[in-house]
Amino acid sequence: MFTVIGSVNMDLTLEVGRFPQPGETVPGRNFRSAHGGKGANQAYAVAKMGLPVAMIGAVGADTFGGEMVAGLAEVGVDTSRILRRETEASGTALITVDGAGQNQIVVAAGANETLTPADIEAALGDLRDCRALLLQLEVPLDAVRKAIELGHAAGVPVFLNTAPCLPLPDVVLNRCTWIIANEQEAAMLVRQTVTSPAEAAFAATALRQRLPHPGLVITLGAGGAWIDCPSFTGHLPGFQVDTVDTVGAGDAWIGAFATELLEGKSVIAAARFAHLAAAIAVTRRGAQTSIPDRAEVEADPRVAAVSE
Ligand code: RIB
């Protein structure tokens, strides 16, 4: 079983022509609420790619919580280890998406913030049936650390998406099998700007001095990704598409990449497949609502460009 540990949020989204400046009011339109949260989105993406997946997380005992858990169960995610917190609200994310499809997100963690190392230990058990762990940083860092330590000790591959970027000691990061950061997160990790493949290469080289063990991925949005691992180091360009909404595209990328690697694909093939999944996701609105399933990616005419 693939296991995702992370956040479950209700995304409350408005579209704006441009993002407001501090103190400014701008008009918005097309308000919608939809299921999100980086953890839930990635579990959803793995399920859509066809792998058995379980989610560990926490929601409130409110309507949002029940709806979001049901939405994950509907696509086959094992939700039996999502905890319900009687006294907390479910996580919510206030999202604005501008005319170019870029987003700004503010998250109120709510129940996500209550996940403890003891919860993780209890939920993971002896990890005997766990094929991989996938984590992000929208739940408390001590819970994330516990999961990384348990996964590492059990020899289970650990994928860490450093979103949103928060300080984790290098000794913990080094226990991961893969670290996946976007441009902003990579920039925070190395304290340099990362906006191009060349800068990503520079950042990966700097990170490699501190992190000899994990495979490193720096995603570059439509620019693809820079990858640094034993079997491949280099830039894999992405697909140029008309972007409508980038929310959840990174989650689609990670779910597809991790799934393909577990299915035995090469790093290059897995990343190209993930590029295509993300390219499809950005042409649609919302997080989970935009994530394609395997059949859709495989039926895409551009799939020929991702096969080795
Ligand atoms: O990665 C996108 C997600 O980030 C959204 O669904 C939102 O809930 C925030 O967690």
Side-chain angles (χ1 to χ4, degrees):
M1 182 75 87
F2 200 115
T3 305
V4 179
I5 300 172
S7 58
V8 186
N9 296 332
M10 187 60 87
D11 291 350
L12 307 174
T13 304
L14 273 177
E15 292 167 25
V16 292
R18 64 172 177 83
F19 297 121
Q21 300 295 318
E24 187 188 10
T25 303
V26 297
R29 61 186 172 279
N30 294 340
F31 172 76
R32 60 184 180 274
S33 61
H35 305 172
K38 294 182 196 304
N41 296 346
Q42 292 177 22
Y44 188 97
V46 171
K48 286 293 219 179
M49 288 296 147
L51 277 198
V53 54
M55 170 94 205
I56 296 174
V59 295
D62 47 19
T63 328
F64 281 173
E67 277 176 23
M68 294 189 290
V69 171
L72 288 173
E74 226 165 80
V75 293
V77 176
D78 173 351
T79 57
S80 59
R81 288 176 272 173
I82 301 181
L83 304 166
R84 314 285 174 109
R85 304 297 200 203
E86 293 300 324
T87 56
E88 299 289 335
S90 292
T92 43
L94 296 184
I95 302 179
T96 42
V97 177
D98 76 0
Q102 299 305 311
N103 64 72
Q104 288 187 340
I105 305 181
V106 180
V107 175
N112 294 304
E113 214 158 40
T114 66
L115 211 58
T116 66
D119 293 331
I120 299 299
E121 224 164 346
L124 281 176
D126 62 11
L127 285 148
R128 224 177 303 162
D129 71 344
C130 182
R131 287 185 66 195
L133 283 181
L134 173 53
L135 302 130
Q136 320 73 33
L137 300 177
E138 272 189 339
V139 293
L141 284 185
D142 54 357
V144 171
R145 283 181 73 147
K146 174 58 82 181
I148 293 172
E149 274 155 23
L150 292 173
H152 179 255
V156 170
V158 177
F159 295 79
L160 175 67
N161 171 212
T162 55
C165 196
L166 293 169
L168 266 179
D170 287 352
V171 65
V172 177
L173 295 175
N174 254 318
R175 294 193 179 124
C176 298
T177 317
W178 283 95
I179 291 181
I180 302 153
N182 69 13
E183 290 149 300
Q184 291 81 21
E185 294 146 13
M188 285 173 79
L189 283 168
V190 298
R191 293 177 195 188
Q192 288 159 9
T193 55
V194 179
T195 54
S196 65
E199 286 176 349
F202 201 71
T205 306
L207 266 181
R208 184 56 77 210
Q209 309 302 314
R210 292 160 39 194
L211 305 176
H213 179 60
L216 302 173
V217 178
I218 300 177
T219 57
L220 298 161
W226 183 272
I227 297 183
D228 182 323
C229 70
S231 65
F232 174 74
T233 293
H235 176 226
L236 293 174
F239 292 91
Q240 300 309 309
V241 292
D242 289 332
T243 299
V244 168
D245 180 347
T246 52
V247 176
D251 301 323
W253 194 96
I254 290 162
F257 178 69
T259 305
E260 292 297 281
L261 286 185
L262 281 201
E263 295 286 77
K265 300 283 169 51
S266 72
V267 168
I268 294 177
R272 286 187 175 146
F273 190 83
H275 283 359
L276 187 49
I280 294 170
V282 298
T283 62
R284 305 199 283 228
R285 298 189 200 288
Q288 290 169 27
T289 46
S290 70
I291 295 173
D293 63 15
R294 172 174 296 283
E296 190 179 0
V297 181
E298 286 177 349
D300 191 288
R302 293 165 294 183
V303 79
V306 308
S307 324
E308 276 191 302

